[in-house]
Amino acid sequence: MPEALKDIPVTLVTGLLGAGKTTLIDHLLEQRPRNQRWAVLVNEFSETGVDGARLAREGVYLREVAGGCMGCSAAVMLQVELNRLLREARPHRLLVEPTGLGHPMELLPFFQGENYREVLAPRATICL
């Protein structure tokens, strides 16, 4: 049986549309230690994701939450995709890129809530 997931550092990368969130995440992924599994959760406001292919690489697990803001209208899909990502990747670190249209502060209570309190450890919020 796999070891329980605990205190996975979470970095929230936020900013307006076109600010460079995906570019920053791409750079962070290039700098990650090669012996670590990192996971990325990307919020695509449209039904078709464009950032996922750009961020895909060996040792990095990616899930997209499509069709609305992950902090409000797509909150159920956020939980579904986050659970899948955690189960499949068992990451050492999680990077989260919400849509530039939503308010990122809606996500922190979610990550610190009852379901994820012991699993996720929000660290930095980077706003571009």
Side-chain angles (χ1 to χ4, degrees):
M1 187 161 158
E3 187 176 320
L5 297 173
K6 186 163 178 59
D7 295 327
I8 299 167
V10 177
T11 301
L12 188 63
V13 179
T14 185
L16 297 175
L17 292 171
K21 298 180 297 292
T22 303
T23 300
L24 175 62
I25 289 174
D26 191 41
H27 177 73
L28 292 172
L29 293 175
E30 286 295 320
Q31 305 303 312
R32 77 180 161 79
R34 294 294 172 208
N35 63 339
Q36 288 191 3
R37 285 179 315 278
W38 283 24
V40 181
L41 188 63
V42 178
N43 190 190
E44 290 290 351
F45 197 76
S46 68
E47 293 295 329
T48 305
V50 294
D51 294 332
R54 181 173 169 196
L55 297 173
R57 64 196 57 184
E58 187 176 333
V60 175
Y61 295 80
L62 180 94
R63 284 280 179 191
E64 292 180 339
V65 176
C69 173
M70 69 169 58
C72 48
S73 62
V76 171
M77 287 310 299
L78 167 61
Q79 189 164 2
V80 168
E81 294 301 335
L82 178 58
N83 288 342
R84 282 184 184 163
L85 187 60
L86 293 173
R87 184 178 61 249
E88 293 170 4
R90 305 192 66 74
H92 295 108
R93 177 170 299 275
L94 174 64
L95 303 174
V96 179
E97 179 188 347
T99 178
L101 298 174
H103 198 295
M105 299 315 336
E106 296 170 344
L107 296 175
L108 290 178
F110 175 81
F111 293 140
Q112 296 168 327
E114 181 181 339
N115 294 330
Y116 300 106
R117 183 176 305 131
E118 302 293 321
V119 177
L120 301 177
R123 296 286 194 263
T125 299
I126 301 169
C127 182
L128 302 175

